[in-house]
């Protein structure tokens, strides 16, 4: 568990993530992160866009469904 402290940043509040957390998440200055709510009511910080993940899942389903057609088009 990592202990974080909420601090004033301009007119907002924020937390500073320790270097080891940034390294583990593969994020750096200026990168975008997403705060998502889990089914149990807790929150999760992730560098992955849940909407993009949903779109990729739909694309993969479409590619699997039309695999033969896509293979023929690729020739």
């Amino acid at each position: 568990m990592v202990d974080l402290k909420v601090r004033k940043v301009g007119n907002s509040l924020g937390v500073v993530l320790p270097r080891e957390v940034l390294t583990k998440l593969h994020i750096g200055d200026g990168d975008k992160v997403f705060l998502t709510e889990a089914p149990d009511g807790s929150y999760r910080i992730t560098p992955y866009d849940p909407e993009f993940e949903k779109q990729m899942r739909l694309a993969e389903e479409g590619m699997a469904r039309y695999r033969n057609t896509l293979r023929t088009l690729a020739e």
Side-chain angles (χ1 to χ4, degrees):
M1 178 167 86
V2 177
D3 204 16
L4 301 175
K5 189 176 199 178
V6 178
R7 298 180 180 176
K8 188 166 180 69
V9 179
N11 291 329
S12 301
L13 297 175
V15 294
V16 176
L17 300 175
R19 182 172 302 283
E20 59 269 10
V21 173
L22 297 173
T23 301
K24 199 170 203 177
L25 290 173
H26 305 288
I27 58 176
D29 186 30
D31 287 346
K32 192 183 267 191
V33 294
F34 300 89
L35 182 65
T36 57
E37 187 173 359
D40 66 358
S42 64
Y43 286 92
R44 179 177 167 198
I45 294 176
T46 177
Y48 304 106
D49 181 353
E51 185 60 33
F52 178 75
E53 189 174 331
K54 178 181 170 187
Q55 292 172 358
M56 285 304 296
R57 188 173 5 92
L58 292 172
E60 288 169 352
E61 289 171 6
M63 287 186 287
R65 182 176 179 185
Y66 297 106
R67 181 182 69 227
N68 294 334
T69 302
L70 292 170
R71 184 176 293 133
T72 301
L73 289 171
E75 293 175 357

